Amino acid sequence: RFDAVLSLFHVISYQQTNEDLKAAFKSASCHLKPGGVFIFDCWYGPGVLTDRPVMRMKELEDEKISVTRIAQPVMHPNENVVDVNYLVFVRDKLSGDVHEIRETHTMRYLFLPEIQQMLADEGFEILMSEEWLTGRPLGFESWSAVFVCRKLEAGDGL
């Protein structure tokens, strides 16, 4: 058992079903000492639905290779998930060979009431929630949220 459990880089948003989320929160609870802190970030539903995902392209290169990454989202509104389909081209500048990589990341966006309920079911209280990296209150512009939670102790009403 630990004093803190961290789940960063949107790991919680990779939990696609309620059962997956409950299992992740239960695992955090099982590994925390009473009074321990659980910190996680996730995609925040109001922000995702206000500023919907769009196709993005990123290019990077150095003297040896060039990399082009295309992210094409597909939203599934009745599941609160987005399939982010990645297509990556890696070109060797010396040989001209191109390697293609395809993968899909299915990401769930979450809403405060469901997070509160699932955390409470596992014996947590939310100490703080805010927009990731800005500290602003969560709202329609918040794509990424961070939560700081405390595992309740036996005398706290568990």
Side-chain angles (χ1 to χ4, degrees):
R1 292 187 158 231
F2 302 95
D3 294 320
V5 170
L6 304 175
S7 179
L8 301 178
F9 308 108
H10 304 301
V11 167
I12 293 299
S13 285
Y14 280 93
Q15 312 313 304
Q16 300 170 31
T17 66
N18 287 343
E19 294 73 26
D20 293 339
L21 277 168
K22 290 175 185 179
F25 292 155
K26 182 179 184 98
S27 181
S29 179
C30 288
H31 289 93
L32 272 175
K33 296 176 184 174
V37 176
F38 175 37
I39 301 171
F40 67 92
D41 64 340
C42 63
W43 282 18
Y44 191 60
V48 172
L49 294 179
T50 299
D51 181 19
R52 292 187 184 161
V54 295
M55 194 275 296
R56 296 182 328 249
M57 185 171 78
K58 183 180 254 186
E59 297 176 299
L60 301 168
E61 66 179 292
D62 64 16
E63 64 280 349
K64 295 180 183 178
I65 65 167
S66 68
V67 178
T68 303
R69 183 188 77 180
I70 301 168
Q72 182 68 46
V74 177
M75 294 189 72
H76 302 280
N78 294 320
E79 290 83 38
N80 293 357
V81 299
V82 178
D83 289 334
V84 183
N85 298 298
Y86 288 102
L87 176 57
V88 180
F89 298 101
V90 181
R91 185 175 64 85
D92 182 312
K93 289 182 170 182
L94 298 176
S95 70
D97 291 340
V98 177
H99 182 67
E100 181 180 305
I101 303 165
R102 292 177 182 266
E103 58 183 49
T104 299
H105 292 226
T106 301
M107 305 295 290
R108 181 171 176 172
Y109 47 93
L110 300 167
F111 297 87
L112 187 57
E114 67 185 331
I115 292 171
Q116 287 172 321
Q117 183 62 57
M118 288 185 196
L119 287 169
D121 289 348
E122 295 306 326
F124 287 106
E125 68 173 340
I126 297 174
L127 299 176
M128 190 256 326
S129 60
E130 63 185 30
E131 190 173 277
W132 178 246
L133 296 179
T134 70
R136 292 190 298 241
L138 292 174
F140 291 115
E141 296 80 30
S142 306
W143 244 79
S144 186
V146 62
F147 291 85
V148 178
C149 313
R150 181 177 73 94
K151 182 175 178 176
L152 297 172
E153 300 183 41
D156 290 336
L158 278 178

